[in-house]
Amino acid sequence: MDHREGGEDIESRVDGVEAPREMKRNGSNFFDDKKAGMREPLLRRRTMNTTSQLAVVGANVCPIESLDYEIVENDLYKEDWRSRRKAQIYQYVVLKWTLALLIGLVTGLVGFFNNLAVENIAGFKLLLTSNLMLKHSYHKAFVVYAGCNLVLAAAAAALCAYVAPAAAGSGIPEVKAYLNGVDAYSILAPSTLFVKIFGSIGGVSAGFVLGKEGPMVHTGACIASLLGQGGSRKYRLTWTWLRYFKNDRDRRDLITCGAAAGVAAAFRAPVGGVLFALEEAASWWRSALLWRTFFTTAVVAVVLRTFIDFCRSGNCGLFGQGGLIMFDLSSSVPAYGTPDLIAVIVLGIVGGIFGSLYNYLIDQTLRTYSIFNERGAPFKILLTVAVSLLTSCCSYGLPWLAKCTPCPPDAQDQCPTIGRSGNYKNFQCPPNQYNDLASLFLNTNDDAIRNLFSGGTGNEFCLSTLCIFFIGVYCLGIVTYGIAIPSGLFIPVILAGASYGRLAGTFLGSISKLDKGLFALLGAASFLGGTMRMTVSVCVILLELTNDLLMLPMAHAEPYMRNLVARDVVSGPLITLSGVERVGNIVHAIRLTCHNGFPVVDEPPFSVAPELCGLVLRTHLLVLLKGKRFTKERVTTGTADVLQRFGAYDFAKAGSGKGVKLEEIDINEEEMEMYVDLHPITNRSPYTVVETMSLAKAAVLFRELGLRHLCVVPKTPGVRPPIVGILTRHDFMPEHILGLFPRIKQASWVARGAINVPQPSINCWDM
């Protein structure tokens, strides 16, 4: 919300003083501050549609801003670009590829570390439980199993609740929001990265029905964000050679590479990672970014393969070949016919039904959990502990419902499996028999998926086992998502989908020749498509993780936007600044609003008639005020004077720090009456649309260009002020539009309640 106040109507109140009604009615001067003595301020106000920008869910609130993906073409930028030598340009290009390499290396190392830690921690817990059961100490085995899960779950929840609450959940929505222009506080902070790594290890090792794949996407994005910070001014660790990346545009590219690297590290799927970033995460793409992203994921794949080959010699404890859900299905399907296609269609329909129901139930669960999570960190931990106990009881108790099955005489693997992971778990069975349900529940999630995907094992799991496991995983996945630990939906969805896929393969075995393991793979793909509405990336990820290897949705507008024009939804009050503005006016505009963009209007004598000069950012104004290059007369100083005091990188985007604050700038009364030239820091070529443009067309333009501000200009210039308003992300939101025009026929997805989904906790849509 760059051009309006959130939480308080600044149109009617200034510093707690009620504004005269005449000022509201006839559009007189907005800032009528008697102390400052501004009789004829240069700020302008226009009264337009106003709405509240408060969206508070729960007790905690945090500010959310938009990102400046547009290149600010002011005089400083142009001067810096003209002065950049060939060597600097080459350095910039080399650094982009170097950072892509580093992101791939670090993300690959973190991905391997996560798998190594999970396999060893969970493996030790499961081996300890199995050894106690071999001694028929069943009660003690449950206490050890549930106790280990409880400690790991409580530790992960405590990290999330007290250190980095933003690390809870999968993190994919936050990454998608960032790549689409929304910057929520702390979602890519170092503390979030730390908790994401160790909280994910604790949560997955605790036996929850969740995955580390979603959190790996967030982890990769955090790594990319930290590498692109250029150091820290606060701790005097700023590196000059990284100054090129102190802007939202380059950081967006790096974080896109990081998100793709996270998928590649989670599934060993480099192509799938690129397609995931392209199809699901980023709404803006170009060919150069495609190559850099693929290079990053390829580096991840090389790192993982190198360390996995090293671990095959037994140097990584219980890891061995575990983790990363790799199973070879490349030789499972020699051919397929029409009956097989019918089976695939049936699986697709079932996946869509189960997926939509899954999303609905998760939404209801999140609403219920918010009641507990709002009460503070102790309640978050308590809820996590309760779900942990429930999961432990189900994982340990449900296998008792399954009967013991004699080991297959032609089994290639050890049966029952003793002392390691495998398809045949002994549980309570006598020698030479195994419990097929324990092979799924008392195992790591990756190993359970590998068991379901295994080919040539059509009779390994009975129908009752698959039904019980599907129901158990389906329900546990729903109740687990939403607790205060890093958790992803990929693994629960793959587990449930593989279960009913294998179940369908058992029923359809008489008409289809497809292997049961391939049916499990198709079921996982259908359920993933039904829950996450991804197509291409899901297919490629599943093909890559099973070694079975043989444009996308564009921006669109809602139908009701076609009946509106741009001027219908612009919100007020609109505050403009003059090209040469009084310091006091700028200070009051920054102090009394949350706006991050101010239109700059030139007036006589600087122009023949009032005209839109461009757009100036709040952060640039603060830097300019801190430099105190003021004049006593209202005259232009030019770019040369500003360049004597500032460089282009002084106006670069701050890293994880908060940048310059108004409270840090000491401006006395004499300086408040002085003037400052805004032309050198004004973006002279902001994107503009005429006020009569269809709102649907403006929405497509806004999204495809990755904008933060879209200026709306009058259809008839010269007669009216040169700018009508500014469109930001908030103005395209259904809540805002339908609040202004409640009689508009809502789209079907609105009627289904989509706009009532809980929004992030914010106190100011500072877009």
Side-chain angles (χ1 to χ4, degrees):
M1 180 192 66
D2 295 276
H3 61 285
R4 45 194 179 274
E5 170 71 87
E8 185 177 357
D9 188 357
I10 63 172
E11 182 182 5
S12 58
R13 298 189 64 85
V14 179
D15 285 341
V17 180
E18 180 71 17
R21 292 186 178 179
E22 292 77 14
M23 181 173 70
K24 303 179 202 175
R25 183 169 58 251
N26 57 27
S28 60
N29 296 331
F30 174 67
F31 295 105
D32 189 11
D33 195 324
K34 295 181 180 180
K35 295 181 180 180
M38 294 186 292
R39 302 300 181 191
E40 298 180 357
L42 300 175
L43 297 173
R44 300 289 187 265
R45 175 188 64 84
R46 287 179 54 83
T47 303
M48 287 165 285
N49 298 325
T50 58
T51 57
S52 172
Q53 278 77 54
L54 283 178
V56 180
V57 178
N60 297 325
V61 295
C62 64
I64 292 181
E65 295 186 4
S66 286
L67 297 165
D68 296 301
Y69 290 154
E70 178 190 359
I71 296 178
V72 180
E73 294 183 349
N74 54 26
D75 292 345
L76 287 167
Y77 169 81
K78 295 176 182 178
E79 190 67 27
D80 171 65
W81 184 256
R82 292 194 195 101
S83 63
R84 189 175 293 181
R85 299 184 299 273
K86 278 189 176 181
Q88 293 175 310
I89 296 175
Y90 289 142
Q91 183 184 29
Y92 171 67
V93 174
V94 170
L95 283 175
K96 287 197 298 186
W97 287 92
T98 302
L99 284 176
L101 172 66
L102 292 176
I103 292 170
L105 288 173
V106 177
T107 306
L109 289 173
V110 171
F112 173 75
F113 172 74
N114 282 4
N115 281 278
L116 181 67
V118 167
E119 290 293 323
N120 278 280
I121 296 174
F124 175 79
K125 173 193 68 178
L126 293 172
L127 284 178
L128 188 60
T129 304
S130 177
N131 291 335
L132 289 173
M133 295 196 71
L134 290 174
K135 298 177 182 178
H136 304 288
S137 301
Y138 300 123
H139 293 89
K140 185 181 294 185
F142 173 73
V143 171
V144 170
Y145 178 74
C148 291
N149 289 343
L150 194 66
V151 172
L152 292 169
L159 283 175
C160 282
Y162 289 105
V163 180
S170 69
I172 293 180
E174 288 83 352
V175 174
K176 290 167 63 176
Y178 186 95
L179 294 179
N180 285 276
V182 178
D183 185 16
Y185 177 71
S186 77
I187 63 173
L188 299 175
S191 59
T192 303
L193 174 61
F194 174 82
V195 175
K196 206 73 181 182
I197 294 174
F198 292 97
S200 177
I201 292 173
V204 177
S205 301
F208 284 115
V209 182
L210 52 82
K212 55 187 178 296
E213 284 69 22
M216 270 307 303
V217 176
H218 195 180
T219 299
C222 289
I223 292 171
S225 177
L226 292 178
L227 289 176
Q229 291 294 316
S232 171
R233 291 184 178 180
K234 180 179 179 181
Y235 299 105
R236 296 183 179 180
L237 295 175
T238 301
W239 294 286
T240 305
W241 52 277
L242 283 179
R243 63 186 184 272
Y244 302 121
F245 300 93
K246 284 186 171 293
N247 61 83
D248 291 331
R249 190 183 183 92
D250 283 314
R251 285 177 187 162
R252 173 188 59 184
D253 292 352
L254 292 177
I255 290 171
T256 301
C257 294
V263 175
F267 294 107
R268 268 198 289 176
V271 178
V274 176
L275 291 176
F276 174 84
L278 174 60
E279 181 179 15
E280 186 67 11
S283 62
W284 187 89
W285 202 265
R286 65 182 189 277
S287 58
L289 180 59
L290 175 67
W291 283 108
R292 261 194 295 150
T293 305
F294 180 72
F295 173 71
T296 305
T297 57
V299 171
V300 173
V302 171
V303 171
L304 291 177
R305 183 174 296 276
T306 301
F307 280 98
I308 290 174
D309 291 340
F310 172 76
C311 290
R312 283 175 180 168
S313 59
N315 298 319
C316 301
L318 299 175
F319 182 78
Q321 299 183 27
L324 300 167
I325 326 174
M326 191 71 174
F327 198 90
D328 193 348
L329 293 177
S330 58
S331 59
S332 299
V333 192
Y336 62 89
T338 302
D340 301 325
L341 296 179
I342 296 175
V344 170
I345 294 174
V346 171
L347 281 177
I349 296 173
V350 173
I353 295 173
F354 281 142
S356 59
L357 177 62
Y358 195 80
N359 289 344
Y360 172 78
L361 294 176
I362 281 183
D363 176 68
Q364 299 303 313
T365 303
L366 291 175
R367 294 176 185 274
T368 304
Y369 283 176
S370 64
I371 300 174
F372 297 93
N373 293 332
E374 289 171 3
R375 298 178 178 270
F379 286 87
K380 293 180 180 180
I381 299 175
L382 184 62
L383 177 61
T384 304
V385 168
V387 175
S388 174
L389 288 175
L390 174 64
T391 304
S392 298
C393 291
C394 292
S395 300
Y396 189 85
L398 289 178
W400 291 92
L401 301 177
K403 62 180 181 180
C404 294
T405 304
C407 291
D410 56 345
Q412 298 179 357
D413 296 331
Q414 178 185 352
C415 180
T417 304
I418 303 296
R420 62 179 180 84
S421 299
N423 291 43
Y424 308 101
K425 291 294 183 183
N426 180 263
F427 201 61
Q428 87 291 7
C429 296
N432 298 322
Q433 296 188 24
Y434 72 97
N435 187 310
D436 56 351
L437 193 53
S439 301
L440 300 176
F441 269 120
L442 282 182
N443 226 331
T444 62
N445 292 330
D446 285 4
D447 286 334
I449 294 174
R450 191 177 293 106
N451 292 343
L452 290 170
F453 281 176
S454 60
T457 55
N459 300 319
E460 181 178 339
F461 302 100
C462 61
L463 293 178
S464 60
T465 293
L466 294 174
C467 290
I468 294 173
F469 185 71
F470 169 70
I471 296 173
V473 167
Y474 194 93
C475 296
L476 287 175
I478 292 171
V479 300
T480 302
Y481 195 78
I483 59 178
I485 59 173
S487 57
L489 282 176
F490 272 101
I491 291 300
V493 169
I494 292 176
L495 279 171
S499 301
Y500 76 70
R502 198 172 183 99
L503 191 63
T506 303
F507 281 117
L508 300 175
S510 59
I511 65 172
S512 175
K513 298 180 181 180
L514 298 180
D515 187 83
K516 302 298 187 298
L518 183 59
F519 265 106
L521 176 65
L522 295 174
S526 68
F527 202 7
L528 279 170
T531 54
M532 303 182 184
R533 292 180 294 180
M534 297 186 300
T535 53
V536 180
S537 57
V538 164
C539 293
V540 175
I541 287 172
L542 289 175
L543 291 177
E544 286 188 289
L545 71 87
T546 56
N547 197 30
D548 193 11
L549 297 176
L550 287 174
M551 229 324 263
L552 300 167
M554 299 296 292
H556 66 279
E558 298 304 326
Y560 55 80
M561 290 185 179
R562 300 190 185 98
N563 301 320
L564 300 173
V565 295
R567 66 165 174 259
D568 291 334
V569 298
V570 290
S571 300
L574 175 67
I575 298 175
T576 65
L577 301 175
S578 292
V580 181
E581 185 59 274
R582 181 179 291 178
V583 174
N585 289 349
I586 299 175
V587 171
H588 282 281
I590 294 175
R591 179 179 297 158
L592 300 177
T593 70
C594 290
H595 309 357
N596 274 302
F598 297 91
V600 177
V601 176
D602 269 341
E603 297 176 335
F606 304 108
S607 62
V608 178
E611 64 180 17
L612 179 63
C613 177
L615 196 72
V616 64
L617 298 180
R618 181 189 191 94
T619 54
H620 293 181
L621 287 173
L622 290 171
V623 174
L624 191 63
L625 291 177
K626 187 175 182 180
K628 295 189 175 184
R629 304 295 291 184
F630 308 146
T631 60
K632 294 184 178 180
E633 302 296 331
R634 192 179 176 209
V635 296
T636 58
T637 58
T639 306
D641 183 72
V642 176
L643 289 176
Q644 291 178 0
R645 176 64 178 83
F646 303 101
Y649 296 111
D650 292 324
F651 294 90
K653 178 70 177 288
S656 56
K658 298 180 180 179
V660 180
K661 295 182 179 179
L662 183 61
E663 294 77 12
E664 300 173 355
I665 304 174
D666 184 19
I667 299 179
N668 55 42
E669 292 295 330
E670 181 181 358
E671 292 172 330
M672 293 282 278
E673 298 298 325
M674 300 177 71
Y675 296 89
V676 60
D677 187 4
L678 302 182
H679 291 100
I681 64 169
T682 299
N683 182 4
R684 303 291 186 90
S685 56
Y687 285 94
T688 61
V689 296
V690 69
E691 60 182 339
T692 55
M693 176 182 283
S694 164
L695 186 62
K697 189 175 182 180
V700 173
L701 178 68
F702 189 91
R703 181 175 180 181
E704 288 188 347
L705 293 178
L707 300 180
R708 185 179 188 180
H709 310 93
L710 185 59
C711 298
V712 180
V713 297
K715 184 177 181 180
T716 307
V719 180
R720 300 164 54 193
I723 182 168
V724 175
I726 297 179
L727 289 173
T728 64
R729 188 179 306 273
H730 170 270
D731 298 302
F732 296 104
M733 294 176 63
E735 297 91 330
H736 173 63
I737 299 174
L738 297 177
L740 293 175
F741 305 97
R743 294 185 179 181
I744 292 179
K745 184 179 180 181
Q746 300 180 1
S748 59
W749 67 274
V750 177
R752 291 195 299 269
I755 62 173
N756 294 322
V757 175
Q759 299 294 326
S761 300
I762 58 175
N763 66 347
C764 178
W765 269 98
D766 197 6
M767 302 249 183

